[in-house]
């Protein structure tokens, strides 16, 4: 229905423009009013602009005519984007700007001299085809820059229907590629996706009451209703599927452009040359196809063999080839033969070449034949905003990251399969690592892994969050910390695989999830767990042996600063006292310096804290002076760092005692919105109760700060239950926003993920 509505809107706009041109006594020769952009393509959304150009032959004066045409349009209330150009000026703009060039391919006659419009269209199209080889690299660079800036439509939490990869802009670019005659794009498939995205945009404009391309979370329900879909999740999946399909077509088209540009113009064979690569598999240009004589009905491994060859060579798995194998290939047996498992591992370990091949397997339905469990997570959005991809794409990116780590593990095959399946349990009510472990066992068994490898895959999926969680929230010097890992990971082989999977998972999540600080914590914990597994002894934490205590000045504290890849690392040395950590946290809070992560501990009578912060070029002397001013009372941070009012929908902070985490101290876990001053407020609340922070572990993931404190009485050991409860209440009261209109989330621990 919306396609009809777009046509009606376009016809109405044409009639309005034609009336304005006629009312201005626009000539029938030498001048034309033309539509470009979305209006030129007849794709007007409810709140779209009218993109118009008044074009004339050289020497024709159109200044007065232009004003007489534009004013009636302005008076009508339409949104107008207009310009006046001579035909030579139009062609000059076409030659000078590839964005303009691709846009002018859609020029459409509205009023005036149709022959002038025809000359413009014919010249533009001829020049576009003639200069395609020199202009397409420029267009590709522009497209890549847009991808880096905006992201992918299929994975953005707030998708941009126009500019994101897989959006309407890409569909226009694909039509421009087709117009070069260098490559072919499946026109019917592209047009179907493009029209359905236009339908989504029409509904979005109506919901928003204005021109917008971005789907905010509150729009999904209305989009589902407007498109006749079941619910918000169905609407998200529909839009993301369209974006993924257009992105896939774009990726294939650009690979074919690259292949065409590498081929000399004189080298145009009448029939494709085949280079045999493996049984039944050949290379044709930049694509993997079936070799002559291939017998899909006799070869159940042919699909995986072709996919592995394409991925490992970073070539395109030709979609018609994959589609044919879906129709004709012999099915794999219930337990795969060894070659099938080996080819699957080759595919998963291929690195960046895996992504395009995996997309082809998905788009052609081939993935359903080898991994039907994938449907559970297909285009499933992540609950946490820190993830840059949907769950299925994150799993693929984890495989790509794991492929760079296979040299350091004894079972690369187990690592990449676990990377693929580590989030397979998402989408249900049960914790995804718990739900995913038996699914991973089933898949690994079907792939033909031996029982020991199946056990490893299941263990890795079940505990893939363990190392990151323990490393960032527990004190490595506490024996209970090591036991928290060895209780579930009981062999050096499993530990090395889990360490690699932890790194791959974090890198595939976002840059925030694998900073140099977080990497150091995970690898230090893994080193200590490995020693415990091998020798039954735990080596000291790396910071305790690596940091040499400096001589403290008379003022009592010493601050050092060193640059790191993502900011600065600040070390603070001072006589150990209650409240010191609160004062150091105040220094950063008052300077509005975000803290990525921190650790604090005592070494003899000296307190040491190490802070990774998101600012470069910090002055150690200035930090030290400010710390002295706060410690002496000359500066009081309390008023400036008081909790701000809660934002709408903000979760309440949670404070939980973790009795299982240590036998030597009381462990308090604090989760709150990540904002300047929270750490100072927590430490200040503890200091007011004369409670000593023996070790602090501070980390930030997305919008949430997760801070864990190992605390003791100032001159004794762990807190009593009464004192622990008192401390938890004091922290909660100190960090809760005033008159907190916050959203509370159910659960025994009140935590969120």
């Amino acid at each position: 229905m919306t396609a009809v509505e777009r046509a009606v809107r376009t016809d109405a706009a044409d009639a309005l423009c034609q009336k304005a041109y006629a009312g201005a006594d626009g000539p029938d020769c030498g001048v034309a009013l033309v539509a470009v952009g979305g209006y030129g393509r007849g794709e007007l959304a409810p709140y779209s602009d009218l993109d118009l150009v008044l074009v004339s032959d050289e020497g024709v004066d159109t200044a007065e005519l232009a004003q007489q045409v534009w004013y009636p349009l302005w008076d009508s209330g339409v949104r107008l984007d207009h310009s006046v150009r001579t035909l030579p000026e139009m062609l000059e703009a076409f030659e000078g700007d590839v964005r303009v060039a691709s846009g002018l391919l859609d020029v459409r006659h509205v009023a005036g001299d149709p022959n002038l419009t025809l000359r413009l269209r014919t010249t533009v199209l001829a020049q576009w085809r003639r200069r395609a080889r020199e202009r397409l690299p420029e267009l590709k660079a522009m497209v890549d820059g847009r991808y880096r800036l905006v992201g992918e439509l299929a994975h953005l939490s707030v998708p941009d229907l126009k500019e994101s990869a897989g959006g309407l802009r890409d569909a226009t670019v694909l039509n421009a590629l087709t117009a070069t005659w260098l490559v072919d794009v499946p026109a019917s498939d592209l047009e179907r996706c493009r029209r359905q995205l236009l339908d989504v945009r029409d509904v979005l404009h109506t919901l928003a009451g204005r021109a917008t391309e971005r789907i905010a979370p509150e729009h999904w329900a209305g989009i589902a209703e407007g498109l006749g879909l079941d619910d918000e999740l169905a609407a998200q999946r529909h839009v993301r599927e369209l974006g993924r399909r257009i992105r896939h077509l774009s990726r294939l088209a650009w690979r074919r452009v690259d292949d065409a540009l590498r081929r000399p113009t004189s080298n145009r064979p009448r029939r494709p040359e085949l280079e045999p690569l493996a049984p039944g598999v050949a290379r044709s240009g930049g694509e993997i196809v079936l070799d002559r004589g291939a017998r899909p009905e006799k070869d159940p491994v042919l699909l995986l063999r072709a996919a592995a060859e394409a991925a490992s060579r970073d070539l395109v798995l030709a979609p018609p080839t994959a589609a044919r194998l879906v129709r004709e290939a012999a099915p794999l047996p219930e337990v795969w033969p060894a070659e099938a498992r080996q080819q699957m591992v080759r595919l998963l370990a291929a690195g960046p070449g895996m992504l395009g091949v995996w997309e082809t397997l998905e788009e052609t339905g081939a993935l359903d034949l080898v991994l039907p469990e994938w449907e559970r997570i297909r285009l499933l959005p992540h609950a946490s905003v820190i993830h840059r991809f949907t769950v299925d794409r994150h799993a693929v990116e984890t495989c790509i990251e794991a492929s760079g780590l296979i040299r350091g593990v004894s079972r690369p095959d187990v690592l990449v399969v676990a990377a693929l399946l580590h989030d397979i349990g998402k989408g249900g009510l049960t914790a995804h690592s718990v739900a995913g472990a038996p699914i991973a066992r089933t898949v690994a068994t079907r792939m033909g892994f031996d029982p020991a490898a199946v056990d490893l895959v299941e263990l890795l999926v079940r505990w893939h969050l363990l190392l990151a969680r323990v490393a960032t929230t527990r004190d490595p010097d506490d024996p209970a910390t090591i036991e928290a890992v060895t209780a579930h990971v009981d062999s050096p082989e499993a530990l090395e695989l889990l360490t690699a999977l932890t790194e791959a998972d974090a890198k595939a999540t976002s840059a925030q999830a694998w900073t140099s600080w977080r990497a150091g914590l995970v690898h230090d914990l893994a080193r200590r767990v490995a020693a415990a597994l091998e020798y039954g002894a735990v080596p000291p934490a790396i910071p305790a042996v690596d940091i040499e205590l400096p001589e403290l000045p008379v003022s009592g504290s010493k601050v050092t600063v060193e640059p790191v890849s993502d900011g600065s690392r600040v070390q603070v040395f001072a006589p150990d006292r209650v409240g010191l950590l609160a004062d150091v946290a105040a220094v950063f809070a008052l300077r509005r310096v975000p803290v990525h992560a921190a650790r604090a501990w005592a070494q003899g009578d000296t307190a040491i804290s190490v802070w990774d912060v998101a600012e470069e070029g910090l002055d150690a002397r200035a930090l030290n002076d400010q710390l002295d001013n706060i410690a002496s009372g000359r500066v009081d941070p309390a008023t400036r760092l008081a909790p701000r009012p809660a934002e709408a929908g903000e979760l309440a902070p949670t404070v939980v005692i973790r009795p299982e985490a240590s036998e030597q101290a009381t462990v308090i876990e604090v989760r709150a919105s990540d904002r300047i001053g929270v750490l100072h407020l927590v430490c200040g609340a503890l200091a007011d109760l004369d409670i000593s922070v023996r070790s602090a572990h501070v980390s930030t993931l997305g919008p949430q700060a997760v801070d864990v404190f190992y605390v003791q009485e100032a001159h004794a050991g762990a807190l009593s239950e009464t004192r622990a409860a008192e401390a938890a209440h004091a922290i909660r009261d100190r960090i809760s926003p005033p008159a907190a209109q916050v959203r509370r989330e159910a659960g025994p621990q009140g935590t969120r993920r």
Side-chain angles (χ1 to χ4, degrees), residues 107 298 389 472 695 733 750:
V107 68
K298 301 287 187 181
F389 298 116
T472 56
S695 177
D733 290 344

Side-chain angles (χ1 to χ4, degrees), residues 625-648:
D625 290 345
Q626 190 162 23
L627 177 58
D628 288 343
N629 288 334
I630 293 172
S632 65
R634 292 190 295 273
V635 173
D636 181 9
T639 55
R640 293 174 58 186
L641 299 179
R644 55 159 174 73
E647 296 178 358

Side-chain angles (χ1 to χ4, degrees), residues 484-632:
V485 178
T486 56
H488 308 294
V489 181
D490 57 2
S491 73
E493 182 180 49
L495 177 64
E496 72 175 13
L497 288 167
L498 186 60
T499 304
L501 178 58
T502 300
E503 180 174 344
D505 184 16
K507 287 180 174 178
T509 298
S510 69
Q512 294 172 284
W514 194 250
T515 61
S516 58
W517 176 268
R518 197 174 297 272
L521 294 179
V522 169
H523 287 302
D524 178 44
L525 176 62
R527 178 184 71 93
R528 292 157 61 74
V529 171
L533 290 173
E534 188 169 358
Y535 304 113
V538 179
I542 286 178
V545 298
D546 281 357
I547 294 180
E548 181 179 347
L549 295 179
E551 182 177 347
L552 298 182
V554 176
S555 63
S557 62
K558 182 176 180 61
V559 177
T560 66
V561 178
E562 63 175 297
V564 292
S565 60
D566 41 12
S568 299
R569 179 162 296 161
V570 180
Q571 298 181 86
V572 180
F573 305 87
D576 193 15
R577 61 177 172 85
V578 173
L580 174 62
L581 208 61
D583 291 347
V584 180
V587 171
F588 296 116
L590 291 174
R591 291 173 170 267
R592 316 298 294 176
V593 174
V595 176
H596 286 323
R599 278 200 61 204
W601 67 96
Q603 194 167 313
D605 295 330
T606 301
I608 306 167
S609 58
V610 182
W611 307 73
D612 271 21
V613 298
E615 188 167 316
E616 299 176 352
L618 291 173
D619 186 332
R621 179 177 297 179
L623 296 177
N624 202 95
D625 290 345
Q626 190 162 23
L627 177 58
D628 288 343
N629 288 334
I630 293 172
S632 65

Side-chain angles (χ1 to χ4, degrees), residues 142-156 158-174 197 213 239-251 254 355 359 379 388-389 393:
M142 185 183 73
V143 168
D144 288 344
R146 174 164 52 84
Y147 289 174
R148 288 191 296 270
L149 183 65
V150 183
E152 294 190 38
L153 174 59
H155 306 290
L156 289 167
V158 181
D160 187 312
L161 293 174
K162 185 176 183 179
E163 299 295 343
S164 55
L168 291 168
R169 181 82 70 188
D170 267 3
T172 303
V173 169
L174 286 175
L197 272 188
E213 310 292 341
V239 172
R240 296 182 191 284
E241 278 184 335
L242 294 173
R244 188 182 67 180
R245 181 60 180 162
I246 292 177
R247 177 70 180 102
H248 178 62
L249 293 174
S250 178
R251 196 189 307 274
W254 282 112
L355 177 58
E359 284 182 350
L379 291 171
R388 34 178 192 158
F389 298 116
R393 174 64 178 276

Side-chain angles (χ1 to χ4, degrees), residues 644-653 673 736-744:
R644 55 159 174 73
E647 296 178 358
E650 182 178 329
L651 284 167
S673 297
S736 293
Q741 301 295 320
V742 292
R743 174 168 55 93
R744 298 186 182 274

Side-chain angles (χ1 to χ4, degrees), residues 2-11 13-14 35-45 48-51 106-110 191 194-195 198 201-202:
T2 49
V4 175
E5 293 171 349
R6 284 192 294 275
V8 169
R9 283 192 291 269
T10 300
D11 289 344
D14 285 355
V36 295
Y39 182 28
R41 294 186 295 274
E43 298 170 357
L44 287 179
S48 290
D49 293 351
L50 299 187
D51 292 335
D106 297 313
V107 68
R108 182 173 62 85
H109 182 73
V110 176
E191 185 63 11
R194 190 180 67 86
R195 288 186 178 275
L198 290 171
R201 187 178 67 175
D202 287 354

Side-chain angles (χ1 to χ4, degrees), residues 153 156-162 164 200-201 203-224 231-233 235-236 239-240 381 385:
L153 174 59
L156 289 167
S157 57
V158 181
D160 187 312
L161 293 174
K162 185 176 183 179
S164 55
V200 176
R201 187 178 67 175
V203 175
L204 177 62
H205 275 210
T206 303
L207 290 171
R210 59 185 176 85
T212 181
E213 310 292 341
R214 292 165 62 83
I215 304 178
E218 63 268 20
H219 291 144
W220 287 115
I223 288 174
D231 52 28
E232 296 181 33
L233 185 59
Q236 284 207 43
V239 172
R240 296 182 191 284
V385 297

